[in-house]
Amino acid sequence: MKHTIVMTGASRGIGRVAAGHILRTSPDTHLLVVARGTSGTQLAAELATDGHAVSHVPADLGSLDSVRSAATEIRDRLDRGDLPPLRGFVGNAGIQYTNARTEGPEGFESTFTVNVLANHLFVRLLQDRFAAPARIVITVSDTHFGDFRHNLGMVPGPSWKSPDVLARPGAFARPDTAVAGRTAYSTSKLAAIHLVHEYARRLPAGIDAVAYNPGFVPGTGLARHADPFSRFAMRRILPMMTLTPFATSRDAAGRSLADVVLGTTVAPTGSYVDRDRVARSSEESYDPLREGELWEAAERFTAA
């Protein structure tokens, strides 16, 4: 049966691989990609080959107003019958800044906006348009474990605080440094897992929510805001680590993401999928009180 999957972060890295794999594996999918203006138009055209159905809705994920407009347009297109029933949302877009002071137009810290609030706003505004069975997949990161085994010491572990603090610029020590920016990243990924657990509790039956961890994937563009040496290392040096167990290739991670989205990888709602299997996320990530507090804060932050 024809159906729609909405996807952010499909323009590069594992998202681009996953988008192609979804379309090849599930020819009944209409893939709606969310991306900035002309880049989204070009992306849709590149993916819409061999008869694949692909369209585009523009949005700047760093702006909640822009996300709200995109979600409203998707709702309208579904209501008019311009799109087949909505069966999936993939929140794959992610960002990492070189500091913890970058501020979006609504006054929220930009890492938290893109990695947490934008996904939450899409989920909530599209929630009543999903046709069961449906699946929400949020791309997270094993940096949320905060230990050497999971991040090789490259990214500091999360530093949890009140959501009202985390959502604002300057939440971490030495906020002008790259260390603070990376801490904001790992903390935002922990927050995303918390919200997946809360979605599993709150969303109607038939709408599953899953957190997907691709592992360390060099060369995805995640470090595009980093210093020149770090960008060079991510592009030219670290990709060699995919020959070891410590890193995942972009192609492998993209195919695994597609398998989670399509349900080929069986994962109950609320699950954490580590690459290609269901696993446990960090012990810190299981905290119903913290998850409820974050839900309430995200509702306040994204209210129109």
Side-chain angles (χ1 to χ4, degrees):
M1 179 182 295
K2 293 283 187 181
H3 59 272
T4 297
I5 295 175
V6 175
M7 183 174 187
T8 71
S11 60
R12 58 167 62 90
I14 68 172
R16 181 60 179 268
V17 174
H21 193 67
I22 289 168
L23 290 167
R24 289 190 298 273
T25 306
S26 178
D28 285 339
T29 296
H30 181 116
L31 186 65
L32 193 157
V33 294
V34 180
R36 292 177 181 266
T38 56
S39 66
T41 303
Q42 180 179 348
L43 172 63
E46 291 172 356
L47 290 170
T49 57
D50 299 324
H52 296 315
V54 186
S55 59
H56 160 243
V57 169
D60 173 3
L61 300 180
S63 163
L64 295 181
D65 281 345
S66 181
V67 171
R68 189 174 290 107
S69 294
T72 300
E73 181 176 339
I74 295 169
R75 288 169 59 94
D76 290 346
R77 290 179 61 183
L78 287 164
D79 292 348
R80 291 195 304 266
D82 295 342
L83 294 170
L86 179 63
R87 290 288 175 84
F89 170 75
V90 188
N92 179 63
I95 198 71
Q96 184 182 123
Y97 287 93
T98 56
N99 60 61
R101 287 202 181 277
T102 306
E103 183 175 322
E106 290 85 12
F108 298 110
E109 192 272 324
S110 294
T111 310
F112 198 83
T113 300
V114 174
N115 296 355
V116 182
L117 297 181
N119 288 330
H120 184 72
L121 190 52
F122 270 121
V123 168
R124 296 293 279 143
L125 291 180
L126 296 178
Q127 176 179 323
D128 62 354
R129 295 303 193 274
F130 282 107
R135 176 168 279 196
I136 295 163
V137 179
I138 307 297
T139 300
V140 295
S141 166
D142 51 11
T143 59
H144 84 277
F145 280 91
D147 57 19
F148 185 85
R149 183 168 73 88
H150 288 91
N151 61 32
L152 303 179
M154 293 186 289
V155 179
S159 178
W160 192 261
K161 305 175 188 296
S162 161
D164 287 279
V165 174
L166 292 176
R168 301 295 177 178
F172 306 100
R174 298 186 297 143
D176 295 315
T177 65
V179 170
R182 291 171 184 152
T183 302
Y185 175 80
S186 62
T187 306
S188 74
K189 293 303 185 177
L190 175 60
I193 297 172
H194 282 326
L195 283 178
V196 165
H197 294 163
E198 201 67 14
Y199 297 149
R201 295 186 188 102
R202 293 177 181 262
L203 295 180
I207 304 176
D208 293 345
V210 176
Y212 167 70
N213 167 46
F216 174 52
V217 186
T220 62
L222 178 64
R224 58 190 177 275
H225 294 289
D227 61 89
F229 175 77
S230 296
R231 294 199 303 271
F232 174 79
M234 283 292 285
R235 287 197 310 268
R236 304 297 183 187
I237 300 173
L238 294 179
M240 290 185 290
M241 290 183 64
T242 58
L243 301 175
T244 76
F246 298 108
T248 310
S249 73
R250 183 174 58 183
D251 287 348
R255 289 194 301 272
S256 293
L257 172 57
D259 287 343
V260 176
V261 173
L262 295 174
T264 306
T265 297
V266 178
T269 188
S271 294
Y272 174 81
V273 176
D274 181 18
R275 299 167 178 84
D276 59 358
R277 61 185 179 85
V278 174
R280 277 187 68 83
S281 49
S282 69
E283 291 305 313
E284 185 182 7
S285 71
Y286 299 96
D287 188 331
L289 293 178
R290 185 188 284 182
E291 290 157 3
E293 180 186 26
L294 178 59
W295 169 279
E296 297 299 336
E299 290 288 280
R300 284 191 284 109
F301 299 155
T302 58

